């Protein structure tokens, strides 16, 4: 390839193949690796060095993290903390960035938590609990587990049971003040492990009870629920948010979009009318009424919200696009073209966008591919939301 350039997809593909082969080897040779893991990790580094492609430092070190995670997954010696510490030390020493230890330590912590050693797991999680919302929840979960189930670990005291609960709550309170994001440290194999969903959700729901005034727990829960397509958690988070923060449009916005995407347009319209009562001076509910009415068979709803939009002095270029979408989706291509002509004439600085829509709506345009209406809707919706600053917080 020119100048020796190798696309990232080629590197990724080769590493994925190597990872699959190594994972298979680990599954079949767990005992042997436990007994001679320094040699095993040395071979992993040799494989990476002989890969024949330039591997970026971050990719190299995350590959090591993935291998460590799988080794701990099948290991029979993880209850031996000297063994765990030694594995972590060797794996971190083989990284290009020696200080990038989080992936290795988190892998160790997860294994320890799974085998009922929450005190040891908490020690590995401690340095990272403030930097990733999930890790913070796992760390607090260690102490909650000590409160709920106890432990046979050295250092555990049944007399401290209620203090463990107090500690779990304190850590969640601190997490709610720091407000770290998701997936800052939890990536790769950790991100894909379904077992780790329970510690996260247990602590998050407890936090919504312990600290009802902190909306961040609901926000991070909504973000995680949408990533996982976890509809049960999503609904629960929204229900709590609507009841607890009735003056916060964020939770109405999220609820509306869920109803709309599920096709519950009548329910969505009912929510919009509630929003109009609660946020009478905000154009956001009116815009939602317009975008929902695009998909309703009756013209009455669209005309109603179109009048409301004019009375609120919604920007003209937004209304032009809404009118275009209304005509376009109803197959009125001539009317759609007239809307774009007006858009061209009144807002010449936006012609770059109007030209694309014009091509789609002209009579001599190519046959419409499947999904075109959806693509047009998404494009116009994003454009209008940006113009109206909807969702900017």
């Amino acid at each position: 390839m020119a100048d020796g350039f190798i696309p990232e997809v080629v590197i990724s593909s080769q590493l994925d193949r190597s990872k699959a082969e190594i994972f298979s080897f680990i599954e079949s040779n767990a005992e042997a690796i436990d007994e001679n893991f320094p040699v095993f990790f040395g071979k992993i580094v040799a494989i990476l060095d002989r890969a024949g492609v330039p591997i970026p430092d971050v990719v190299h070190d995350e590959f090591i993290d993935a291998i460590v995670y799988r080794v701990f997954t099948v290991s029979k010696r993880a209850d031996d903390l000297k063994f765990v510490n030694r594995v972590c030390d060797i794996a971190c020493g083989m990284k290009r960035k020696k200080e990038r230890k989080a992936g290795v330590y988190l892998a160790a912590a997860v294994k320890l938590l799974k085998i009922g050693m929450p005190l040891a797991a908490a020690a590995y999680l401690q340095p990272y609990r403030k930097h990733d919302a999930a890790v913070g929840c796992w760390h607090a979960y260690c102490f909650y587990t000590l409160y709920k189930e106890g432990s046979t670990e050295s250092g555990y005291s049944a007399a401290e049971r209620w203090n463990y609960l107090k500690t779990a709550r304190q850590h969640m309170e601190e997490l709610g003040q720091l407000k770290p994001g998701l997936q800052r440290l939890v990536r790769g194999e950790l991100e894909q492990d379904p077992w780790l969903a329970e510690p996260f959700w247990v602590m998050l729901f407890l936090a919504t009870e312990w600290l009802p005034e902190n909306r961040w727990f609901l926000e991070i829960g909504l973000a995680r629920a949408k990533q996982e397509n976890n509809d049960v958690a999503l609904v629960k988070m929204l229900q709590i948010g609507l009841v607890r923060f009735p003056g916060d449009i964020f939770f109405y916005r999220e609820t509306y979009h869920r109803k709309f995407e599920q096709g519950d347009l009548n329910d969505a319209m009912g929510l919009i009318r509630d929003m109009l009562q609660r946020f009478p001076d905000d154009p956001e509910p009116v815009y939602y009424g317009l975008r929902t009415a695009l998909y309703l068979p009756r013209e009455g709803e669209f005309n109603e919200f179109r009048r409301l939009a004019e009375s609120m002095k919604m920007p003209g270029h937004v209304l032009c696009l809404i009118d275009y979408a209304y005509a376009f989706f109803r197959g009125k291509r001539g009317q759609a073209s007239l809307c774009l002509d007006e858009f061209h004439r009144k807002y010449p600085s936006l012609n770059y966008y109007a030209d694309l829509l014009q091509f789609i709506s002209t009579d001599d345009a190519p046959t419409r591919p499947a999904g075109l209406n959806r693509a047009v809707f998404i494009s116009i919706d994003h454009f209008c939301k940006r113009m109206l600053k909807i969702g900017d917080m």
Side-chain angles (χ1 to χ4, degrees):
M1 298 182 186
D3 301 323
F5 171 73
I6 299 178
E8 287 185 15
V9 66
V10 174
I11 299 173
S12 176
S13 177
Q14 183 160 331
L15 289 179
D16 285 345
R17 287 196 299 272
S18 296
K19 187 187 294 184
E21 292 172 1
I22 294 169
F23 281 3
S24 178
F25 177 83
I26 292 171
E27 296 287 343
S28 304
N29 298 273
E31 255 187 68
I33 293 170
D34 276 356
E35 296 304 319
N36 207 358
F37 57 87
V39 172
F40 169 74
F41 280 119
K43 290 181 178 178
I44 297 302
V45 172
I47 290 171
L48 292 173
D49 290 342
R50 296 196 304 266
V53 293
I55 303 173
D57 290 350
V58 172
V59 176
H60 175 281
D61 291 350
E62 287 184 350
F63 190 93
I64 297 291
D65 291 339
I67 301 304
V68 172
Y69 189 84
R70 189 53 62 99
V71 167
F72 278 135
T73 297
V74 301
S75 175
K76 305 299 183 184
R77 294 181 59 190
D79 57 347
D80 179 352
L81 291 182
K82 288 184 179 179
F83 168 81
V84 174
N85 287 334
R86 183 65 177 143
V87 171
C88 290
D89 288 344
I90 290 176
C92 290
M94 291 181 173
K95 290 192 170 190
R96 291 180 183 169
K97 300 291 184 182
K98 311 300 183 188
E99 68 278 7
R100 193 180 286 132
K101 300 178 179 180
V104 170
Y105 286 174
L106 293 180
V110 168
K111 177 64 175 184
L112 291 167
L113 193 53
K114 286 180 177 180
I115 63 175
M117 298 180 67
L119 272 174
Y124 278 104
L125 294 170
Q126 168 68 25
Y128 309 106
R129 64 186 179 87
K130 300 179 182 180
H131 305 292
D132 187 297
V135 176
C137 288
W138 301 345
H139 183 258
Y141 182 80
C142 291
F143 295 96
Y144 186 69
T145 297
L146 291 170
Y147 156 74
K148 289 283 287 186
E149 301 174 10
S151 175
T152 59
E153 295 173 90
S154 174
Y156 168 75
S157 171
E160 295 294 313
R161 181 168 178 261
W162 290 101
N163 283 334
Y164 293 133
L165 179 62
K166 181 179 178 182
T167 300
R169 178 170 177 157
Q170 287 174 341
H171 286 316
M172 290 306 293
E173 184 174 6
E174 184 178 17
L175 193 68
Q177 293 170 350
L178 294 170
K179 299 179 172 61
L182 287 167
Q183 295 172 310
R184 292 183 175 177
L185 299 175
V186 180
R187 295 190 290 270
E189 303 303 305
L190 283 169
E191 185 183 357
Q192 297 168 24
D193 188 337
W195 187 90
L196 290 168
E198 182 177 350
F200 174 84
W201 287 114
V202 165
M203 296 316 301
L204 201 73
F205 278 115
L206 283 171
T208 64
E209 297 175 8
W210 291 338
L211 305 159
E213 74 287 349
N214 192 329
R215 72 192 287 275
W216 176 79
F217 293 111
L218 298 175
E219 291 177 26
I220 210 73
L222 286 170
R224 177 71 177 265
K226 287 192 283 189
Q227 286 178 2
E228 297 178 349
N229 293 318
N230 185 340
D231 200 52
V232 173
L234 181 63
V235 170
K236 185 64 175 175
M237 290 283 125
L238 290 174
Q239 288 174 340
I240 295 172
L242 290 173
V243 171
R244 199 169 287 169
F245 302 98
D248 192 331
I249 201 169
F250 170 80
F251 297 103
Y252 284 89
R253 179 186 303 135
E254 293 291 330
T255 304
Y256 162 75
H257 281 295
R258 177 180 175 275
K259 291 182 180 297
F260 181 86
E261 291 301 326
Q262 290 186 332
D264 297 332
L265 300 188
N266 289 328
D267 284 351
M269 194 59 78
L271 184 70
I272 291 167
R273 297 194 184 283
D274 188 13
M275 292 173 72
L276 288 172
Q277 296 295 319
R278 293 180 182 275
F279 313 101
D281 300 321
D282 195 322
E284 187 169 345
V286 178
Y287 174 70
Y288 290 156
L290 288 168
R291 80 192 287 274
T292 304
L294 294 175
Y295 288 92
L296 294 174
R298 302 175 299 276
E299 295 186 0
E301 285 90 351
F302 181 82
N303 293 333
E304 173 192 354
F305 283 98
R306 185 64 173 78
R307 287 191 295 270
L308 276 174
E310 285 188 341
S311 68
M312 294 189 76
K313 302 190 184 315
M314 191 173 285
H317 56 296
V318 170
L319 292 178
C320 266
L321 286 179
I322 292 293
D323 290 343
Y324 161 78
Y326 183 74
F328 180 76
F329 293 147
R330 279 164 169 71
K332 302 175 181 178
R333 303 184 70 177
Q335 184 178 334
S337 292
L338 289 176
C339 292
L340 286 184
D341 289 342
E342 181 182 359
F343 191 89
H344 266 285
R345 187 175 65 257
K346 290 185 174 180
Y347 313 104
S349 64
L350 299 174
N351 281 351
Y352 68 92
Y353 187 54
D355 287 341
L356 176 61
L357 296 176
Q358 186 74 55
F359 172 75
I360 294 171
S361 61
T362 51
D363 289 336
D364 57 348
T367 303
R368 296 184 184 183
L372 178 61
N373 279 11
R374 176 67 174 165
V376 170
F377 172 78
I378 291 172
S379 177
I380 291 176
D381 187 41
H382 285 172
F383 185 92
C384 292
K385 284 178 178 175
R386 176 168 292 186
M387 295 298 104
L388 295 172
K389 295 182 168 47
I390 289 177
D392 292 350
M393 302 185 67

